[in-house]
CSV table of all heavy atoms in Angstrom, one decimal:
chain,number,residue,atom,x,y,z
Y,114,ALA,N,-35.0,151.5,77.7
Y,114,ALA,CA,-34.5,150.4,76.9
Y,114,ALA,C,-33.5,150.9,75.9
Y,114,ALA,O,-32.4,150.3,75.6
Y,114,ALA,CB,-35.6,149.6,76.3
Y,132,GLY,N,-31.2,151.4,80.6
Y,132,GLY,CA,-31.3,149.9,80.7
Y,132,GLY,C,-30.4,149.2,79.7
Y,132,GLY,O,-30.1,148.0,79.9
Y,133,ASN,N,-30.1,149.9,78.6
Y,133,ASN,CA,-29.1,149.3,77.6
Y,133,ASN,C,-29.7,148.0,77.0
Y,133,ASN,O,-28.9,147.2,76.5
Y,133,ASN,CB,-27.8,149.0,78.3
Y,133,ASN,CG,-26.6,149.1,77.4
Y,133,ASN,OD1,-26.8,149.7,76.3
Y,133,ASN,ND2,-25.5,148.5,77.7
Y,134,CYS,N,-31.0,147.9,77.0
Y,134,CYS,CA,-31.6,146.6,76.6
Y,134,CYS,C,-31.3,146.3,75.1
Y,134,CYS,O,-31.1,145.1,74.7
Y,134,CYS,CB,-33.1,146.5,76.9
Y,134,CYS,SG,-33.5,147.2,78.5
Y,136,ASN,N,-28.9,146.8,73.4
Y,136,ASN,CA,-27.5,146.4,73.2
Y,136,ASN,C,-27.5,144.9,73.0
Y,136,ASN,O,-26.6,144.3,72.3
Y,136,ASN,CB,-26.6,146.8,74.4
Y,136,ASN,CG,-25.2,147.1,74.0
Y,136,ASN,OD1,-25.0,147.4,72.8
Y,136,ASN,ND2,-24.3,147.2,74.9
Y,137,CYS,N,-28.4,144.2,73.6
Y,137,CYS,CA,-28.5,142.7,73.5
Y,137,CYS,C,-29.8,142.2,72.9
Y,137,CYS,O,-29.8,141.0,72.6
Y,137,CYS,CB,-28.3,142.1,74.9
Y,137,CYS,SG,-26.7,142.5,75.6
Y,138,HIS,N,-30.8,142.9,72.9
Y,138,HIS,CA,-32.1,142.4,72.4
Y,138,HIS,C,-32.8,143.2,71.3
Y,138,HIS,O,-32.7,144.5,71.4
Y,138,HIS,CB,-33.1,142.5,73.6
Y,138,HIS,CG,-32.8,141.6,74.8
Y,138,HIS,ND1,-33.0,140.2,74.8
Y,138,HIS,CD2,-32.3,141.9,76.0
Y,138,HIS,CE1,-32.7,139.7,75.9
Y,138,HIS,NE2,-32.2,140.7,76.7
Y,140,ILE,N,-36.3,144.6,70.4
Y,140,ILE,CA,-37.5,144.8,71.2
Y,140,ILE,C,-38.6,145.3,70.3
Y,140,ILE,O,-39.4,144.5,69.7
Y,140,ILE,CB,-37.3,145.7,72.4
Y,140,ILE,CG1,-36.0,145.2,73.2
Y,140,ILE,CG2,-38.5,145.7,73.3
Y,140,ILE,CD1,-35.7,146.0,74.5
Y,150,ILE,N,-27.1,139.3,71.5
Y,150,ILE,CA,-26.6,138.4,72.6
Y,150,ILE,C,-27.8,137.7,73.3
Y,150,ILE,O,-27.7,136.5,73.7
Y,150,ILE,CB,-25.7,139.2,73.6
Y,150,ILE,CG1,-24.5,139.7,73.0
Y,150,ILE,CG2,-25.4,138.3,74.8
Y,150,ILE,CD1,-23.6,140.6,73.8
Y,151,GLY,N,-28.8,138.5,73.5
Y,151,GLY,CA,-30.1,137.9,74.1
Y,151,GLY,C,-31.1,137.7,73.0
Y,151,GLY,O,-31.0,138.1,71.9
Y,152,PRO,N,-32.2,136.9,73.4
Y,152,PRO,CA,-33.2,136.6,72.4
Y,152,PRO,C,-34.0,137.8,72.0
Y,152,PRO,O,-34.1,138.8,72.8
Y,152,PRO,CB,-34.1,135.6,73.1
Y,152,PRO,CG,-33.9,135.9,74.6
Y,152,PRO,CD,-32.4,136.4,74.7
Y,154,LEU,N,-37.1,140.2,71.9
Y,154,LEU,CA,-38.2,140.4,72.8
Y,154,LEU,C,-39.4,141.0,72.0
Y,154,LEU,O,-40.4,141.4,72.7
Y,154,LEU,CB,-37.8,141.2,74.0
Y,154,LEU,CG,-36.6,140.7,74.8
Y,154,LEU,CD1,-36.2,141.7,75.9
Y,154,LEU,CD2,-37.0,139.4,75.5
Y,157,TYR,N,-43.1,140.0,72.9
Y,157,TYR,CA,-42.8,139.3,74.1
Y,157,TYR,C,-44.1,138.9,74.9
Y,157,TYR,O,-44.4,137.7,75.2
Y,157,TYR,CB,-41.9,140.1,75.0
Y,157,TYR,CG,-41.6,139.5,76.4
Y,157,TYR,CD1,-40.5,138.6,76.5
Y,157,TYR,CD2,-42.4,139.8,77.5
Y,157,TYR,CE1,-40.3,138.1,77.8
Y,157,TYR,CE2,-42.1,139.2,78.7
Y,157,TYR,CZ,-41.1,138.4,78.8
Y,157,TYR,OH,-40.8,137.8,80.1
Y,161,ARG,N,-46.3,135.2,75.0
Y,161,ARG,CA,-46.4,134.5,76.3
Y,161,ARG,C,-47.7,134.5,76.9
Y,161,ARG,O,-47.9,134.1,78.1
Y,161,ARG,CB,-45.3,135.0,77.2
Y,161,ARG,CG,-43.9,134.5,76.9
Y,161,ARG,CD,-42.8,135.4,77.4
Y,161,ARG,NE,-41.5,135.0,76.8
Y,161,ARG,CZ,-41.1,135.3,75.6
Y,161,ARG,NH1,-41.9,136.0,74.8
Y,161,ARG,NH2,-39.9,134.9,75.2
Y,178,TYR,N,-42.6,137.1,86.5
Y,178,TYR,CA,-41.4,136.6,86.0
Y,178,TYR,C,-40.6,137.7,85.3
Y,178,TYR,O,-39.4,137.8,85.4
Y,178,TYR,CB,-41.6,135.4,85.0
Y,178,TYR,CG,-40.4,135.1,84.1
Y,178,TYR,CD1,-39.3,134.6,84.6
Y,178,TYR,CD2,-40.5,135.5,82.7
Y,178,TYR,CE1,-38.2,134.3,83.7
Y,178,TYR,CE2,-39.4,135.2,81.9
Y,178,TYR,CZ,-38.3,134.7,82.4
Y,178,TYR,OH,-37.2,134.4,81.5
Y,179,THR,N,-41.3,138.5,84.5
Y,179,THR,CA,-40.6,139.6,83.7
Y,179,THR,C,-40.0,140.6,84.7
Y,179,THR,O,-38.8,141.0,84.4
Y,179,THR,CB,-41.6,140.3,82.8
Y,179,THR,OG1,-42.3,139.3,82.0
Y,179,THR,CG2,-41.0,141.3,81.8
Y,182,LYS,N,-37.0,138.8,86.3
Y,182,LYS,CA,-35.9,138.6,85.3
Y,182,LYS,C,-35.1,139.9,85.1
Y,182,LYS,O,-33.9,139.9,85.1
Y,182,LYS,CB,-36.4,138.1,84.0
Y,182,LYS,CG,-35.4,137.8,82.9
Y,182,LYS,CD,-34.6,136.5,83.2
Y,182,LYS,CE,-33.5,136.4,82.3
Y,182,LYS,NZ,-32.7,135.2,82.6
Y,183,ILE,N,-35.8,141.0,85.0
Y,183,ILE,CA,-35.2,142.3,84.8
Y,183,ILE,C,-34.5,142.7,86.1
Y,183,ILE,O,-33.3,143.3,86.0
Y,183,ILE,CB,-36.2,143.4,84.3
Y,183,ILE,CG1,-36.7,143.0,82.9
Y,183,ILE,CG2,-35.5,144.8,84.2
Y,183,ILE,CD1,-37.9,143.8,82.4
Y,186,ALA,N,-31.5,138.8,86.7
Y,186,ALA,CA,-31.6,137.8,85.7
Y,186,ALA,C,-31.0,136.5,86.2
Y,186,ALA,O,-31.4,135.4,85.7
Y,186,ALA,CB,-30.8,138.2,84.4
Y,190,ASN,N,-31.4,132.0,85.8
Y,190,ASN,CA,-30.3,131.4,85.0
Y,190,ASN,C,-29.0,131.8,85.7
Y,190,ASN,O,-28.5,132.9,85.4
Y,190,ASN,CB,-30.5,131.9,83.6
Y,190,ASN,CG,-29.4,131.5,82.7
Y,190,ASN,OD1,-28.5,130.7,83.0
Y,190,ASN,ND2,-29.4,131.9,81.4
Y,193,SER,N,-26.3,133.8,83.9
Y,193,SER,CA,-26.8,134.6,82.8
Y,193,SER,C,-25.8,135.8,82.5
Y,193,SER,O,-25.2,136.3,83.4
Y,193,SER,CB,-28.2,135.2,83.2
Y,193,SER,OG,-28.6,136.2,82.2
Y,194,ASN,N,-25.8,136.1,81.2
Y,194,ASN,CA,-24.9,137.2,80.8
Y,194,ASN,C,-25.7,138.6,80.9
Y,194,ASN,O,-25.1,139.6,80.6
Y,194,ASN,CB,-24.5,137.1,79.3
Y,194,ASN,CG,-23.4,136.0,79.2
Y,194,ASN,OD1,-22.6,135.8,80.1
Y,194,ASN,ND2,-23.4,135.3,78.1
Y,195,MET,N,-26.9,138.5,81.3
Y,195,MET,CA,-27.7,139.7,81.4
Y,195,MET,C,-27.5,140.4,82.7
Y,195,MET,O,-27.5,139.8,83.8
Y,195,MET,CB,-29.2,139.3,81.3
Y,195,MET,CG,-30.1,140.5,81.4
Y,195,MET,SD,-31.7,140.1,80.8
Y,195,MET,CE,-32.8,141.1,81.8
Y,196,PRO,N,-27.2,141.7,82.6
Y,196,PRO,CA,-26.9,142.5,83.9
Y,196,PRO,C,-28.1,142.4,84.8
Y,196,PRO,O,-29.3,142.4,84.4
Y,196,PRO,CB,-26.7,143.9,83.4
Y,196,PRO,CG,-26.5,143.8,81.9
Y,196,PRO,CD,-27.1,142.6,81.4
Y,198,ALA,N,-30.2,144.3,86.6
Y,198,ALA,CA,-30.6,145.8,86.6
Y,198,ALA,C,-31.0,146.3,87.9
Y,198,ALA,O,-30.6,147.4,88.3
Y,198,ALA,CB,-31.6,146.0,85.4
Y,204,LEU,N,-31.1,150.2,87.5
Y,204,LEU,CA,-32.4,150.8,87.3
Y,204,LEU,C,-33.1,150.9,88.7
Y,204,LEU,O,-33.0,150.0,89.5
Y,204,LEU,CB,-33.2,150.0,86.3
Y,204,LEU,CG,-32.7,149.9,84.9
Y,204,LEU,CD1,-33.7,149.0,84.1
Y,204,LEU,CD2,-32.5,151.2,84.3
Y,212,VAL,N,-40.1,149.4,82.1
Y,212,VAL,CA,-39.6,148.4,81.1
Y,212,VAL,C,-40.5,147.2,81.1
Y,212,VAL,O,-40.7,146.6,80.0
Y,212,VAL,CB,-38.1,148.1,81.5
Y,212,VAL,CG1,-37.6,147.1,80.5
Y,212,VAL,CG2,-37.2,149.3,81.5
Y,216,LEU,N,-42.6,145.5,77.7
Y,216,LEU,CA,-42.6,144.2,77.3
Y,216,LEU,C,-44.0,143.5,77.3
Y,216,LEU,O,-44.3,142.6,76.5
Y,216,LEU,CB,-41.6,143.3,78.1
Y,216,LEU,CG,-40.1,143.7,77.9
Y,216,LEU,CD1,-39.3,142.7,78.6
Y,216,LEU,CD2,-39.7,143.8,76.5
R,7,LIG,C1,-25.4,142.1,78.0
R,7,LIG,C2,-26.6,141.6,77.3
R,7,LIG,C3,-27.9,141.9,77.9
R,7,LIG,C4,-28.5,143.1,78.3
R,7,LIG,C5,-27.9,144.5,78.4
R,7,LIG,C6,-29.9,142.8,78.6
R,7,LIG,N1,-30.1,141.4,78.4
R,7,LIG,FE1,-31.9,140.5,78.7
R,7,LIG,N2,-31.0,138.7,78.2
R,7,LIG,C7,-29.7,138.5,77.8
R,7,LIG,C8,-29.5,137.1,77.6
R,7,LIG,C9,-28.2,136.5,77.1
R,7,LIG,C10,-30.7,136.5,77.8
R,7,LIG,C11,-31.0,135.0,77.7
R,7,LIG,C12,-30.3,134.2,78.7
R,7,LIG,C13,-31.0,134.3,80.0
R,7,LIG,O1,-32.3,134.1,80.1
R,7,LIG,O2,-30.4,134.7,81.0
R,7,LIG,C14,-31.7,137.5,78.3
R,7,LIG,C15,-33.0,137.2,78.6
R,7,LIG,C16,-33.9,138.2,78.8
R,7,LIG,C17,-35.3,138.0,79.1
R,7,LIG,C18,-36.0,136.6,79.3
R,7,LIG,C19,-36.6,136.2,77.9
R,7,LIG,C20,-37.5,135.0,78.0
R,7,LIG,O3,-38.0,134.6,77.0
R,7,LIG,O4,-37.6,134.4,79.1
R,7,LIG,C21,-35.9,139.2,79.3
R,7,LIG,C22,-37.4,139.4,79.6
R,7,LIG,C23,-34.9,140.2,79.1
R,7,LIG,N3,-33.7,139.6,78.8
R,7,LIG,C24,-35.1,141.5,79.2
R,7,LIG,C25,-34.1,142.5,79.2
R,7,LIG,C26,-34.4,143.9,79.4
R,7,LIG,C27,-35.7,144.5,79.6
R,7,LIG,C28,-33.2,144.5,79.4
R,7,LIG,C29,-32.8,146.0,79.7
R,7,LIG,C30,-33.2,146.4,81.0
R,7,LIG,C31,-32.2,143.5,79.1
R,7,LIG,N4,-32.8,142.3,79.0
R,7,LIG,C32,-30.8,143.7,79.0
R,7,LIG,C33,-28.8,139.5,77.7
R,7,LIG,C34,-29.0,140.9,78.0
Side-chain angles (χ1 to χ4, degrees):
N133 207 19
C134 317
N136 215 15
C137 297
H138 295 283
I140 309 181
I150 294 173
L154 301 174
Y157 177 89
R161 283 159 190 79
Y178 159 72
T179 309
K182 183 72 189 175
I183 296 168
N190 176 3
S193 173
N194 286 328
M195 176 164 151
L204 297 181
V212 179
L216 296 186

